[in-house]
Amino acid sequence: MLTALLCGAVMFPGLFFSFRKGLRDRFTHWSEADVVCVSERLVSATHASLATAAGVTVVASCNDVMTDSHWLVNWFALFGAPYMAFDIFAMYLSHYHTQRVRGLDVVLHHLALLLIFMPITLFFRRGLGDFFIGCLFTTEFSTPFVSVGKILIQLGLDDTRLHRINGVIILWSFFTCRILLFPFMYWMYGRQFGVPLHRVAFHLPLHCNVGNLAILAPQVYWFILLLRKAKRLYLRQSRGGGGDEKPLRRNEK
């Protein structure tokens, strides 16, 4: 398991600084803030893609949702830990250069994953529920599209067809993998143990339901923010916003 931790500690900072150097050399007119922000988002998309692949692999391999296990669960939890820690540092760099980047909620999200989710995954499950941890890994499926959307905005391409298509994919993937995922997990548990979906919550320990609710609540909040943003963009474009490219913008969310 130390190998997984070391791999993550080498890979994610290495990717960040490689992206940073490559972008700085390729886009010489970009400011350091632009380079740092785009590099951070590319690393975020890479981690999310790997997490999704790991999650799908685990879910597909588990026939028993409670007792089947897969080595990728603990391995990837440790592998991803350095990313969470380094991304907080990368966000600090972005803030240092731009004074206005992702907010406190994202930092708290990363800290919660490091200080709560990872210890539970590694030490407090008694080897049970790898299927459900794999499902939670797949919540990252929407993140690469979110990162692409932010990069397009940063490039001034938010009035293009590509950005609109990406926005639809973000809404679909976020709703499917971050919200519908929870009734799916309850349904899978009920199917295995012969419990109707509406009764599953009463068959689970209280702390399981509370934990799921604590994870689901911010997803619903963020999805509402995405819907509001999509509505604003639609209204702006329906008033005659053109599709012309705009100068590079680094501060817009």
Side-chain angles (χ1 to χ4, degrees):
M1 290 303 169
L2 180 60
T3 302
L5 196 63
L6 291 175
C7 286
V10 171
M11 177 177 174
F12 294 112
L15 279 176
F16 176 80
F17 290 112
S18 296
F19 286 138
R20 188 179 179 183
K21 182 180 186 305
L23 291 170
R24 187 187 292 137
D25 292 343
R26 174 64 179 83
F27 300 99
T28 55
H29 61 287
W30 281 16
S31 69
E32 185 64 17
D34 299 323
V35 171
V36 168
C37 290
V38 173
S39 299
E40 177 198 354
R41 288 160 185 167
L42 289 173
V43 174
S44 177
T46 301
H47 169 266
S49 300
L50 293 174
T52 301
V56 170
T57 301
V58 172
V59 169
S61 70
C62 293
N63 295 317
D64 189 303
V65 300
M66 289 302 298
T67 61
D68 281 359
S69 62
H70 197 288
W71 63 270
L72 259 178
V73 169
N74 289 345
W75 195 93
F76 193 85
L78 284 169
F79 174 73
Y83 161 75
M84 297 298 171
F86 183 79
D87 199 47
I88 294 174
F89 167 72
M91 283 188 282
Y92 164 77
L93 284 182
S94 295
H95 180 76
Y96 174 80
H97 288 294
T98 67
Q99 301 300 311
R100 186 160 65 90
V101 293
R102 293 188 292 184
L104 180 63
D105 55 340
V106 180
V107 175
L108 292 177
H109 170 70
H110 280 30
L111 289 175
L113 290 175
L114 271 176
L115 302 178
I116 300 175
F117 180 75
M118 189 179 75
I120 290 174
T121 299
L122 295 175
F123 306 117
F124 298 108
R125 295 185 300 116
R126 296 172 297 172
L128 299 175
D130 279 20
F131 172 85
F132 299 110
I133 300 299
C135 286
L136 293 176
F137 284 165
T138 66
T139 60
E140 293 291 340
F141 178 65
S142 61
T143 301
F145 302 108
V146 174
S147 294
V148 168
K150 290 179 177 179
I151 291 173
L152 290 174
I153 291 174
Q154 195 143 333
L155 292 171
L157 301 177
D158 50 324
D159 284 333
T160 63
R161 180 177 299 177
L162 176 61
H163 185 262
R164 291 192 289 272
I165 293 173
N166 187 70
V168 172
I169 297 174
I170 289 174
L171 292 175
W172 169 78
S173 60
F174 198 101
F175 182 71
T176 301
C177 295
R178 294 198 177 217
I179 296 178
L180 286 185
L181 175 71
F182 289 88
F184 168 75
M185 292 192 294
Y186 277 61
W187 176 74
M188 287 295 293
Y189 179 93
R191 189 182 74 161
Q192 178 164 320
F193 294 101
V195 180
L197 177 60
H198 66 280
R199 299 291 303 172
V200 170
F202 300 101
H203 284 254
L204 294 174
L206 178 62
H207 65 270
C208 292
N209 291 313
V210 171
N212 284 328
L213 184 61
I215 298 173
L216 176 60
Q219 314 307 322
V220 174
Y221 169 73
W222 289 330
F223 185 67
I224 291 173
L225 294 183
L226 286 173
L227 288 175
R228 289 176 177 173
K229 180 177 180 180
K231 181 181 178 180
R232 287 197 306 269
L233 290 175
Y234 174 78
L235 291 176
R236 186 183 71 188
Q237 292 167 3
S238 67
R239 295 191 193 105
D244 297 331
E245 293 189 4
K246 302 173 183 178
L248 186 67
R249 288 178 291 176
R250 60 177 175 269
N251 288 331
E252 192 169 346
K253 298 293 186 188

